[in-house]
């Protein structure tokens, strides 16, 4: 029975983590019906299986995030005997001809993650204790659902954007997007929604906003997951570790599929359907936890 619960929760995590719909809101609802026990393990499980989702981002964007790719080296600089070189020589060559644009992208990601990293370290326990409630989640689902709709309607008639490529996004803008990401520390906001909408407010198109949101997710989610592991790893049993491993694998597979589909979606569609969905979900959460339960 526990394995079936893990499968359901992992699918929910993989589907919702990178969409602007709040994985927290969905997991709170899912845990009402398929919660793992004890409750402390259930909470840790929901955070730690994000490792699988993080790896899916790395796989999808590997070539773009890897500064040592041979495809990024000018053909005129590649020696004719490159393929016959041993791996050490190939690695030395790639390091010597690293891609500066990719390094620049990583610097923007590091700068962008600083605000959430600092505030998350300082207020992680406070948030878990005081803000992790269905009512807070429902309110934030509603608020950000409305924000998404308003921003998209405002952008509907735009024919051009301030930033036409990721290379044009400066360090200051990256830091400001990182500040928007801090709103996601309030459960129900959605890290994806906060960063994507923040980037669009600052002048990016949907594609750039979605890409940078995924890039920021790598250190942000990795940091949150490692924080939980450091705090609670020693208290996990062998079976609980197995459940977490299974959940991470499943969330990786599902998140990989969702990311690929989502990136195709943003090329020609806006986020208004996600805003409407959030509003409907907020009503469901309120009805269930305030009236039914």
């Amino acid at each position: 029975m526990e394995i079936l619960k893990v499968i359901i929760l992992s699918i929910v995590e993989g589907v919702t983590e990178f969409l602007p719909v709040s994985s927290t809101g969905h997991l709170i609802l899912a845990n009402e019906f398929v919660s793992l026990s004890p409750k402390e393990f259930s909470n840790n499980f929901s955070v730690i299986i994000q490792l699988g989702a993080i790896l899916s981002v790395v796989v999808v964007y590997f070539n773009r995030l890897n500064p040592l790719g041979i495809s990024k080296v000018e053909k005129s600089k590649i020696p004719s005997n490159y393929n016959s070189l041993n791996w050490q020589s190939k690695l030395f060559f790639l390091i010597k001809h690293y891609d500066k644009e990719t390094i620049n992208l990583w610097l923007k990601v590091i700068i962008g993650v600083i605000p959430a990293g600092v505030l998350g370290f300082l207020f992680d326990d406070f948030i878990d204790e005081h803000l992790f409630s269905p009512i807070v989640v429902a309110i934030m689902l509603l608020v950000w659902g409305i924000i998404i709709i308003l921003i998209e309607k405002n952008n509907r008639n735009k024919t051009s954007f301030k930033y036409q490529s990721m290379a044009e996004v400066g360090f200051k803008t990256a830091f400001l997007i990182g500040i928007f990401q801090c709103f996601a520390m309030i459960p129900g906001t959605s890290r994806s929604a906060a960063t994507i909408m923040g980037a669009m407010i600052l002048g990016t198109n949907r594609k750039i906003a979605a890409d940078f949101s995924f890039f920021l997710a790598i250190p942000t989610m990795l940091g949150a997951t490692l924080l939980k592991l450091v705090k609670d790893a020693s208290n996990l049993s062998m079976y609980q570790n197995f459940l977490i491993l299974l959940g991470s694998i499943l969330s990786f597979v599902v998140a990989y599929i969702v990311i690929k589909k989502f990136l195709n979606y943003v090329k020609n569609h806006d986020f208004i359907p996600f805003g409407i969905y959030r509003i409907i979900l907020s009503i469901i959460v309120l009805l269930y936890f305030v009236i039914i339960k």
Side-chain angles (χ1 to χ4, degrees):
M1 188 62 181
E2 291 293 284
I3 291 180
L4 179 59
K5 292 179 180 179
V6 164
I7 293 173
I8 294 172
L9 293 172
S10 300
I11 292 174
V12 172
E13 162 64 25
V15 169
T16 61
E17 183 60 56
F18 297 110
L19 300 181
V21 295
S22 176
S23 59
T24 302
H26 287 80
L27 286 171
I28 282 181
L29 276 177
N31 272 292
E32 281 296 304
F33 306 100
V34 292
S35 179
L36 298 170
S37 59
K39 184 177 180 180
E40 183 179 355
F41 170 67
S42 181
N43 292 337
N44 290 335
F45 174 85
S46 297
V47 175
I48 296 173
I49 63 169
Q50 290 178 347
L51 278 173
I54 298 168
L55 288 176
S56 69
V57 177
V58 174
V59 172
V60 170
Y61 286 100
F62 183 77
N63 289 331
R64 192 166 177 185
L65 295 173
N66 177 23
L68 305 181
I70 186 63
S71 61
K72 297 181 179 181
V73 180
E74 293 181 24
K75 290 184 178 181
S76 60
K77 296 181 179 179
I78 301 176
S80 58
N81 65 334
Y82 176 81
N83 290 329
S84 63
L85 296 176
N86 57 42
W87 70 268
Q88 295 97 328
S89 298
K90 288 181 178 179
L91 179 60
F92 179 78
F93 172 81
L94 292 176
I95 292 174
K96 184 178 179 181
H97 296 85
Y98 69 89
D99 184 59
K100 294 181 180 180
E101 186 175 328
T102 305
I103 295 296
N104 195 47
L105 172 60
W106 273 110
L107 290 174
K108 293 173 186 176
V109 171
I110 292 171
I111 290 172
V113 83
I114 289 174
V118 173
L119 293 180
F121 179 78
L122 294 175
F123 298 105
D124 180 62
D125 292 334
F126 175 86
I127 292 169
D128 285 346
E129 184 177 350
H130 298 284
L131 297 181
F132 212 93
S133 73
I135 302 302
V136 172
V137 169
I139 292 172
M140 298 315 295
L141 281 169
L142 176 63
V143 169
W144 280 87
I146 295 172
I147 290 174
I148 289 172
I149 293 172
L150 292 177
I151 290 175
E152 281 291 15
K153 285 191 172 182
N154 182 63
N155 285 348
R156 182 163 285 175
N157 296 322
K158 280 189 176 181
T159 56
S160 63
F161 294 86
K162 182 178 180 180
Y163 302 107
Q164 301 299 320
S165 69
M166 186 67 70
E168 295 179 11
V169 177
F171 294 115
K172 179 182 177 181
T173 302
F175 184 78
L176 292 175
I177 295 173
I179 292 177
F180 274 98
Q181 182 174 229
C182 294
F183 286 108
M185 295 171 64
I186 304 174
T189 296
S190 167
R191 190 203 57 77
S192 178
T195 51
I196 290 175
M197 291 303 110
M200 290 176 66
I201 289 172
L202 293 169
T204 74
N205 60 32
R206 294 185 195 94
K207 181 63 170 61
I208 296 174
D211 284 344
F212 199 65
S213 174
F214 288 133
F215 299 151
L216 280 180
I218 298 173
T220 302
M221 292 168 61
L222 185 62
T225 304
L226 292 178
L227 187 60
K228 288 292 183 185
L229 283 172
V230 169
K231 287 183 177 180
D232 303 298
S234 60
N235 299 322
L236 298 174
S237 67
M238 185 73 72
Y239 183 61
Q240 287 175 333
N241 281 315
F242 164 73
L243 293 179
I244 287 173
L245 177 61
L246 175 62
S248 297
I249 293 172
L250 290 172
S251 67
F252 167 83
V253 174
V254 176
Y256 178 85
I257 296 171
V258 170
I259 291 172
K260 298 286 282 187
K261 296 289 185 182
F262 183 65
L263 290 175
N264 286 329
Y265 174 88
V266 299
K267 291 177 182 178
N268 301 304
H269 302 85
D270 61 34
F271 295 122
I272 288 180
F274 293 104
I276 295 172
Y277 175 79
R278 287 179 64 103
I279 294 171
I280 294 172
L281 182 62
S282 72
I283 295 171
I284 294 173
V285 172
L286 282 173
L287 285 174
Y288 179 79
F289 286 99
V290 176
I291 299 176
I292 299 176
K293 191 176 179 182

